[in-house]
PDB file of all heavy atoms in Angstrom:
ATOM      1  N   PHE A 106      70.641  94.584-155.871  1.00 98.00           N
ATOM      2  CA  PHE A 106      69.496  93.809-156.344  1.00 98.00           C
ATOM      3  C   PHE A 106      69.303  93.902-157.858  1.00 98.00           C
ATOM      4  O   PHE A 106      68.726  93.007-158.486  1.00 98.00           O
ATOM      5  CB  PHE A 106      68.237  94.301-155.622  1.00 98.00           C
ATOM      6  CG  PHE A 106      66.951  93.627-156.024  1.00 98.00           C
ATOM      7  CD1 PHE A 106      66.801  92.247-155.922  1.00 98.00           C
ATOM      8  CD2 PHE A 106      65.885  94.373-156.490  1.00 98.00           C
ATOM      9  CE1 PHE A 106      65.610  91.631-156.276  1.00 98.00           C
ATOM     10  CE2 PHE A 106      64.687  93.774-156.845  1.00 98.00           C
ATOM     11  CZ  PHE A 106      64.553  92.395-156.739  1.00 98.00           C
ATOM     12  N   ALA A 107      69.815  94.949-158.455  1.00 98.00           N
ATOM     13  CA  ALA A 107      69.521  95.259-159.859  1.00 98.00           C
ATOM     14  C   ALA A 107      69.760  94.096-160.836  1.00 98.00           C
ATOM     15  O   ALA A 107      68.947  93.890-161.745  1.00 98.00           O
ATOM     16  CB  ALA A 107      70.329  96.486-160.288  1.00 98.00           C
ATOM     17  N   PRO A 108      70.833  93.306-160.679  1.00 98.00           N
ATOM     18  CA  PRO A 108      71.058  92.245-161.669  1.00 98.00           C
ATOM     19  C   PRO A 108      69.958  91.196-161.751  1.00 98.00           C
ATOM     20  O   PRO A 108      69.832  90.522-162.786  1.00 98.00           O
ATOM     21  CB  PRO A 108      72.381  91.617-161.209  1.00 98.00           C
ATOM     22  CG  PRO A 108      73.080  92.694-160.456  1.00 98.00           C
ATOM     23  CD  PRO A 108      71.976  93.435-159.760  1.00 98.00           C
ATOM     24  N   VAL A 109      69.164  91.031-160.677  1.00 98.00           N
ATOM     25  CA  VAL A 109      68.094  90.025-160.706  1.00 98.00           C
ATOM     26  C   VAL A 109      66.717  90.647-160.535  1.00 98.00           C
ATOM     27  O   VAL A 109      65.718  89.931-160.398  1.00 98.00           O
ATOM     28  CB  VAL A 109      68.318  88.950-159.609  1.00 98.00           C
ATOM     29  CG1 VAL A 109      69.618  88.191-159.844  1.00 98.00           C
ATOM     30  CG2 VAL A 109      68.296  89.571-158.211  1.00 98.00           C
ATOM     31  N   ALA A 110      66.650  91.967-160.571  1.00 98.00           N
ATOM     32  CA  ALA A 110      65.395  92.663-160.287  1.00 98.00           C
ATOM     33  C   ALA A 110      64.297  92.345-161.287  1.00 98.00           C
ATOM     34  O   ALA A 110      63.106  92.479-160.982  1.00 98.00           O
ATOM     35  CB  ALA A 110      65.631  94.171-160.227  1.00 98.00           C
ATOM     36  N   HIS A 111      64.670  91.908-162.468  1.00 98.00           N
ATOM     37  CA  HIS A 111      63.682  91.631-163.516  1.00 98.00           C
ATOM     38  C   HIS A 111      63.119  90.214-163.437  1.00 98.00           C
ATOM     39  O   HIS A 111      62.189  89.868-164.182  1.00 98.00           O
ATOM     40  CB  HIS A 111      64.334  91.809-164.890  1.00 98.00           C
ATOM     41  CG  HIS A 111      65.469  90.851-165.137  1.00 98.00           C
ATOM     42  ND1 HIS A 111      66.681  90.959-164.486  1.00 98.00           N
ATOM     43  CD2 HIS A 111      65.568  89.760-165.955  1.00 98.00           C
ATOM     44  CE1 HIS A 111      67.483  89.984-164.893  1.00 98.00           C
ATOM     45  NE2 HIS A 111      66.844  89.247-165.783  1.00 98.00           N
ATOM     46  N   LEU A 112      63.646  89.399-162.534  1.00 98.00           N
ATOM     47  CA  LEU A 112      63.291  87.978-162.507  1.00 98.00           C
ATOM     48  C   LEU A 112      62.060  87.700-161.661  1.00 98.00           C
ATOM     49  O   LEU A 112      61.740  88.427-160.717  1.00 98.00           O
ATOM     50  CB  LEU A 112      64.468  87.160-161.954  1.00 98.00           C
ATOM     51  CG  LEU A 112      65.759  87.156-162.783  1.00 98.00           C
ATOM     52  CD1 LEU A 112      66.847  86.399-162.049  1.00 98.00           C
ATOM     53  CD2 LEU A 112      65.512  86.543-164.161  1.00 98.00           C
ATOM     54  N   THR A 113      61.383  86.602-161.999  1.00 98.00           N
ATOM     55  CA  THR A 113      60.377  86.024-161.118  1.00 98.00           C
ATOM     56  C   THR A 113      61.070  85.067-160.150  1.00 98.00           C
ATOM     57  O   THR A 113      62.269  84.782-160.285  1.00 98.00           O
ATOM     58  CB  THR A 113      59.338  85.238-161.919  1.00 98.00           C
ATOM     59  OG1 THR A 113      60.006  84.146-162.579  1.00 98.00           O
ATOM     60  CG2 THR A 113      58.632  86.120-162.943  1.00 98.00           C
ATOM     61  N   VAL A 114      60.318  84.540-159.199  1.00 98.00           N
ATOM     62  CA  VAL A 114      60.895  83.578-158.265  1.00 98.00           C
ATOM     63  C   VAL A 114      61.401  82.348-159.027  1.00 98.00           C
ATOM     64  O   VAL A 114      62.500  81.844-158.773  1.00 98.00           O
ATOM     65  CB  VAL A 114      59.869  83.175-157.190  1.00 98.00           C
ATOM     66  CG1 VAL A 114      60.435  82.087-156.281  1.00 98.00           C
ATOM     67  CG2 VAL A 114      59.450  84.395-156.361  1.00 98.00           C
ATOM     68  N   GLY A 115      60.606  81.866-159.984  1.00 98.00           N
ATOM     69  CA  GLY A 115      61.031  80.725-160.782  1.00 98.00           C
ATOM     70  C   GLY A 115      62.249  81.038-161.636  1.00 98.00           C
ATOM     71  O   GLY A 115      63.162  80.211-161.769  1.00 98.00           O
ATOM     72  N   GLY A 116      62.271  82.229-162.215  1.00 98.00           N
ATOM     73  CA  GLY A 116      63.424  82.642-163.008  1.00 98.00           C
ATOM     74  C   GLY A 116      64.664  82.788-162.150  1.00 98.00           C
ATOM     75  O   GLY A 116      65.785  82.482-162.590  1.00 98.00           O
TER      76      GLY A 116
END
Side-chain angles (χ1 to χ4, degrees):
F106 178 57
V109 298
H111 62 289
L112 296 176
T113 63
V114 175

